[in-house]
Amino acid sequence: MDDLGRDTNDPEVEPVKQRLVKQRLVKHVLTRIRRFLPMNMEDQDEEWSSNANEAIQISIVQPGAESPKAISTFHPQFTYSVFGDEERIFGYQGLAIKLRFAAHDLYPHVSVSSNAEFKTVGDTKATDVVAVLEEHLPSYAFRKSSSFKARIQKGASADTFNPPGQLIESYSSKGRNFEIWCGELTDASVRLLLERMQIFIAFFIEGGTALDLDDQEWTLARWRVFFVYEKLTSPPTPTTSAYSIVGYSTSYRFLTYQPTSPSAKTEPFIFPPPPLPISSLPCRARISQFLILPPHQSHSHGTHLYAAMIRTFLADAACTEITVEDPNEAFDDLRDYCDHARLRANGTLAQITLRTDLDPKATAKRVGVRVPSAKLLDKPLLRALRLQNKLAPRQFDRLVELHLLSQIPAHNRQAGTARLTQRAKATDEGDRAYYYWRLLVKQRIYKKNKDVLMQLDRAERIDKVEEALGEQGGDYERLLRGMEGKGDGDGEVGVRRERGKRKVVDDDEDADEDEDGGDDREAKRTRMDEG
């Protein structure tokens, strides 16, 4: 009998039997051939591709008993700006990329190892990891490991090291001591330290861009760098520095034009004009990169760093306003917590109140009636307080709204619009306050997004503003709950983000430079309905 259950003596079975034998032979030959053929690209990528975030190991090291000892080890959060959008490295099995930095001066070293490397086939070859990293690290980071080991163990100038710049603040946390130092990029020691840590921008600040450290001196003078260091009272060895890096931030002086009054005395123009230091010119201080390294996150170092920066800007007579370049959500929260605490502590918020005794006709829901913001709030006082605290209009508006919401009883806020059927005629003062608060926030949302909203029909426009109000109100409630608890953070994800928290509200701080000054004029052209 054959495999088909037929009699092998049957003459009709013979051709079928031959075909079966041939199929088996072909299958066997193809199996043997595949062993010598290259894999398809998908299988090849899977076998020879490494996750860049996992392959890279970052260590902060100090002298050890016989070799450098890591005091903290962590992985990057992002590598797409270094190794591509997929954050993968092709051509290795068991790939390990070790980036070690001296704890005090961040002297770097890179070592790359793997269990196997892909042999070049045509144009397909392994990624040159060293060549890629050379674009982000100084050349001496690629010297022999023995050289790095000797430098760390011998503690070259480590015992006399001080962070660059000037000490501006000291603080203690959980029995450990920390210091914040500040310097300008015109200082060679500041540039050297920043050069060594620029790769952290790519690894931890989404969308961040490294600074051009070879720029002209007058441009470098616009940059200030703030460093956070832990300071040991008793270093473990004589060659160990007392300092180890915790984080850093940069700020940029954005020059602003300050018009003189008509009565100002004019001076004769001298050409060429006398040199003026950048630090003496009116400017906005714009916070750019902001990073607390992962091992030190969630220990309030971001709060201390941000507060120290704000105090520095407030003490600078040339600084007129403090802004932030494209903050991410974590930094937004840190900023809101810190600014709110500062304005509460210095008495600013105590001066801001929302009137609830207006004539209901002032906010009647009919055509031609606008939000009477100038009657609900003391606009001249708000402007004076904003300038005094050097806050950008958008940030100050948010803090005012947050403060006013916190003054409304929780049961009025939690009821939503269910208690607002009487609007301004409500007998409960909390209901009237919540009604007026909603009008003010909706007015701001409408003004900031007027060009986009006017492209929609009226019904959809009202729905969009109402949706944005709901999101904004929910975000404020979340912040208020946080303030009742710990109320601090690190904001360490740095500076750029795809915005998710404020989908409708335009967050461009520079665009609303004079917003509060022209609020009443704009209100005369803007009608806001409750929706």
Side-chain angles (χ1 to χ4, degrees):
M1 300 291 288
D2 66 1
D3 291 341
L4 298 178
R6 295 185 179 185
D7 185 355
T8 54
N9 295 323
D10 187 340
E12 294 182 1
V13 173
E14 187 63 26
V16 176
K17 183 178 180 181
Q18 292 177 357
R19 285 198 302 273
L20 287 172
V21 172
K22 184 181 294 184
Q23 289 174 359
R24 291 171 180 167
L25 179 62
V26 170
K27 184 177 180 180
H28 175 72
V29 172
L30 289 176
T31 300
R32 297 294 300 271
I33 292 175
R34 286 192 185 102
R35 295 180 182 178
F36 301 96
L37 291 176
M39 298 175 291
N40 62 56
M41 289 304 297
E42 183 176 348
D43 293 339
Q44 208 173 76
D45 286 346
E46 184 67 25
E47 183 174 356
W48 294 97
S49 180
S50 303
N51 184 310
N53 295 345
E54 296 175 357
I56 298 174
Q57 183 184 81
I58 304 170
S59 298
I60 306 299
V61 302
Q62 287 180 337
E66 297 180 356
S67 61
K69 177 184 67 175
I71 58 175
S72 61
T73 300
F74 47 97
H75 296 276
Q77 186 175 356
F78 314 108
T79 51
Y80 61 85
S81 63
V82 180
F83 290 103
D85 292 341
E86 298 298 322
E87 297 186 323
R88 302 196 70 83
I89 302 172
F90 175 76
Y92 303 91
Q93 293 179 352
L95 177 63
I97 305 171
K98 295 184 178 181
L99 273 63
R100 293 183 293 174
F101 296 86
H104 62 296
D105 64 1
L106 291 171
Y107 189 92
H109 179 260
V110 178
S111 65
V112 181
S113 62
S114 64
N115 297 332
E117 183 174 342
F118 181 79
K119 294 182 179 179
T120 302
V121 177
D123 293 334
T124 304
K125 57 183 179 181
T127 302
D128 189 340
V129 175
V130 171
V132 172
L133 293 177
E134 282 178 337
E135 299 179 11
H136 301 271
L137 289 165
S139 59
Y140 50 82
F142 302 90
R143 293 174 181 171
K144 292 181 179 181
S145 179
S146 58
S147 174
F148 178 76
K149 176 182 176 181
R151 187 183 189 280
I152 297 298
Q153 290 299 103
K154 293 179 181 178
S157 302
D159 57 337
T160 59
F161 172 84
N162 278 322
Q166 294 181 334
L167 175 64
I168 62 172
E169 185 168 311
S170 300
Y171 65 95
S172 297
S173 176
K174 298 181 179 180
R176 299 161 68 179
N177 301 317
F178 301 88
E179 295 180 352
I180 301 176
W181 293 68
C182 176
E184 294 186 351
L185 276 187
T186 50
D187 184 335
S189 59
V190 173
R191 289 200 305 276
L192 178 62
L193 190 58
L194 192 61
E195 177 190 27
R196 293 172 176 174
M197 63 194 311
Q198 290 248 67
I199 196 169
F200 291 153
I201 298 173
F203 286 165
F204 297 103
I205 300 179
E206 188 170 9
T209 304
L211 303 187
D212 182 2
L213 303 181
D214 296 322
D215 214 332
Q216 301 178 56
E217 185 170 351
W218 66 270
T219 298
L220 295 177
R222 294 186 176 194
W223 286 96
R224 277 187 280 201
V225 188
F226 298 79
F227 300 103
V228 185
Y229 273 91
E230 179 177 5
K231 185 176 183 180
L232 301 176
T233 53
S234 301
T237 71
T239 58
T240 301
S241 171
Y243 289 96
S244 60
I245 192 70
V246 170
Y248 84 106
S249 182
T250 61
S251 70
Y252 182 76
R253 292 184 176 97
F254 193 87
L255 301 185
T256 58
Y257 170 67
Q258 299 290 320
T260 58
S261 63
S263 60
K265 182 181 178 181
T266 59
E267 299 289 344
F269 180 73
I270 302 174
F271 188 84
L276 290 173
I278 292 292
S279 59
S280 68
L281 300 177
C283 69
R284 292 190 188 98
R286 177 179 292 179
I287 299 174
S288 184
Q289 293 110 1
F290 190 98
L291 173 67
I292 301 297
L293 294 179
H296 298 282
Q297 291 176 8
S298 301
H299 295 289
S300 299
H301 297 299
T303 300
H304 284 285
L305 174 57
Y306 179 79
M309 296 176 72
I310 297 302
R311 281 190 286 270
T312 300
F313 302 144
L314 290 174
D316 184 354
C319 175
T320 61
E321 189 173 279
I322 304 166
T323 64
V324 179
E325 183 181 351
D326 294 333
N328 61 16
E329 292 186 15
F331 190 87
D332 266 336
D333 286 350
L334 169 71
R335 184 186 186 192
D336 289 340
Y337 286 137
C338 291
D339 285 349
H340 185 272
R342 176 167 61 91
L343 266 58
R344 184 175 55 192
N346 67 17
T348 295
L349 296 181
Q351 302 178 58
I352 302 173
T353 57
L354 176 65
R355 287 188 58 188
T356 59
D357 58 350
L358 269 65
D359 184 343
K361 295 180 180 179
T363 56
K365 187 179 179 182
R366 63 175 184 271
V367 176
V369 177
R370 287 106 180 168
V371 179
S373 57
K375 294 181 180 179
L376 291 169
L377 297 170
D378 187 338
K379 290 291 185 173
L381 173 64
L382 290 181
R383 178 174 175 79
L385 293 175
R386 183 184 75 79
L387 296 176
Q388 175 185 329
N389 288 281
K390 299 186 179 182
L391 286 169
R394 181 200 72 104
Q395 178 66 1
F396 187 71
D397 287 344
R398 281 177 47 79
L399 294 171
V400 169
E401 292 168 0
L402 183 63
H403 165 68
L404 294 177
L405 182 64
S406 72
Q407 302 305 299
I408 300 172
H411 71 273
N412 297 97
R413 305 188 326 243
Q414 293 167 359
T417 58
R419 295 173 58 100
L420 302 184
T421 55
Q422 296 299 312
R423 306 178 190 280
K425 296 180 181 179
T427 56
D428 189 306
E429 184 178 2
D431 289 339
R432 294 198 305 275
Y434 191 45
Y435 170 71
Y436 288 135
W437 180 88
R438 286 170 53 86
L439 288 183
L440 287 172
V441 178
K442 289 164 85 172
Q443 181 192 50
R444 179 178 65 82
I445 292 172
Y446 183 87
K447 286 170 57 180
K448 292 297 299 178
N449 302 274
K450 185 177 180 180
D451 291 343
V452 175
L453 291 171
M454 289 306 294
Q455 299 176 29
L456 309 176
D457 58 48
R458 183 175 181 276
E460 188 176 3
R461 189 162 62 239
I462 292 174
D463 288 343
K464 287 294 183 183
V465 173
E466 187 70 31
E467 178 185 351
L469 172 63
E471 292 176 356
Q472 187 71 88
D475 190 48
Y476 286 155
E477 293 287 0
R478 178 184 61 82
L479 290 171
L480 290 176
R481 289 193 297 271
M483 291 173 185
E484 293 172 359
K486 185 176 180 180
D488 58 26
D490 283 322
E492 34 294 297
V493 221
V495 288
R496 298 182 183 271
R497 72 178 164 107
E498 293 296 324
R499 299 193 183 277
K501 185 168 66 176
R502 300 166 197 158
K503 298 180 181 179
V504 177
V505 181
D506 181 353
D507 280 338
D508 185 356
E509 293 189 339
D510 293 327
D512 53 8
E513 174 186 359
D514 298 317
E515 177 187 287
D516 55 348
D519 184 70
D520 293 333
R521 293 190 298 274
E522 183 66 23
K524 293 178 182 178
R525 301 193 299 271
T526 305
R527 174 177 178 261
M528 286 300 300
D529 287 326
E530 172 116 358

